[in-house]
Amino acid sequence: LAAFAAACNVITYEFENVPSDTVAFLEALKPVRPCHEALDVAQDRLAEKRFVESLGGRPAPYRAVDSLADLEAALADLGTPAILKTRRFGYDGKGQVRIDRSADAASALAALGGTGLILEGFVPFTAEFSVIVARALDGREMHYPVCLNSHEGGILARTQVPAVAIPEADVEAATALVVRVADRLGYVGVLTCEFFATGDGPVFNEMAPRVHNSGHWTIEGARTSQFEQHIRAVCGLPLGPVDLTAARIELRNLLGDTSAAWPDLLADPAAHLHLYGKSEAVPGRKMGHVTFLLP
């Protein structure tokens, strides 16, 4: 790590499961942006929810679970259906089990290892959306238009911008919370937070201290992509404009073997196809995405 740091002017990361201790070690040698505190929050669902609550945000109701007795008590408090999740390392629908009956508690607990878990109460929502904010070294920020997201099996399948289905009050409240998160952490770079839209305002779901799948549309759909914006921020450069390049933008993830659709996508002048070069197509695996720039 010391040899790596010696070869760098500034260090960043694009994956929230980088060991926080690694980032903290590197911070003593070179600027690391975002800071390791952002990983400490994002890597643990329990810490994340408590952090957001401390800033006035509202997550789904939750309880820490480290035993069957904990889970049974949590289910008694929160009711069913509920979602049992690992506190760490879950993504794209992995590391979680839906519990529809209290009688399923033991099997759900065993499926996730029995400890280091969190139970989340079910949140009735009208839509899911994400807020993407870029924060510079001097604290200045750029906010991308809010993204309306649709999931299949816990995996992001489609993103639409602008998110006209999200009430403006929800957009404002969610964006204000993300700004508070970024400011409290002294965050530098691109930060994404996901929310549920409900009749009672936005409910925080999770944060990603990095560029995010729901922002991949920015490659063609914004004047400055989230990737360029992140590098601008961590290198201390001015942030770029985030204006849309089309009236409407839709991103669709390519999940599993979608190769039969590629010729049609390439023939569509509104479509921009991105393949990730993965060697094997597995059902539910993100193999690429396509962005449509629409009138």
Side-chain angles (χ1 to χ4, degrees), residues 36-216:
H36 79 273
E37 287 87 356
L39 288 178
D40 291 339
V41 172
Q43 287 180 350
D44 187 319
R45 286 191 171 99
L46 183 60
E48 183 180 58
K49 292 180 188 303
R50 288 172 174 169
F51 177 75
V52 165
E53 283 182 321
S54 76
L55 297 176
R58 181 165 66 105
Y62 66 93
R63 299 288 186 274
V65 172
D66 287 300
S67 67
L68 181 58
D70 288 345
L71 180 54
E72 290 172 340
L75 287 168
D77 284 346
L78 303 182
T80 56
I83 310 296
L84 185 64
K85 299 181 178 181
T86 58
R87 285 172 53 177
R88 302 174 68 87
F89 298 117
Y91 68 97
D92 280 353
K94 300 177 178 66
Q96 58 184 264
V97 176
R98 176 176 169 136
I99 301 177
D100 290 304
R101 305 177 307 148
S102 297
D104 297 332
S107 60
L109 191 77
L112 296 181
T115 189
L117 307 175
I118 184 170
L119 185 75
E120 295 183 12
F122 190 75
V123 176
F125 60 90
T126 57
E128 299 174 76
F129 66 99
S130 54
V131 176
I132 303 174
V133 171
R135 188 175 187 275
L137 268 174
D138 61 5
R140 295 183 184 181
E141 294 170 345
M142 283 288 187
H143 303 168
Y144 286 94
V146 168
C147 310
L148 177 65
N149 301 322
S150 301
H151 291 76
E152 296 177 3
I155 303 172
L156 181 65
R158 183 172 69 168
T159 294
Q160 295 170 288
V161 180
V164 294
I166 306 300
E168 187 59 32
D170 281 16
V171 170
E172 292 176 359
T175 301
L177 175 61
V178 179
V179 168
R180 293 196 297 274
V181 168
D183 289 346
R184 175 68 65 85
L185 292 170
Y187 196 91
V188 177
V190 168
L191 171 68
T192 307
C193 292
E194 295 180 302
F195 294 86
F196 300 115
T198 74
D200 298 318
V203 172
F204 171 87
N205 183 29
E206 62 184 18
M207 65 175 270
R210 56 173 172 83
V211 295
H212 191 260
N213 189 190
S214 66
H216 286 1

Side-chain angles (χ1 to χ4, degrees), residues 251-267:
L251 174 144
R252 297 178 195 167
N253 276 327
L254 302 175
L255 305 176
D257 186 1
T258 58
S259 56
W262 298 350
D264 289 339
L265 292 172
L266 290 170

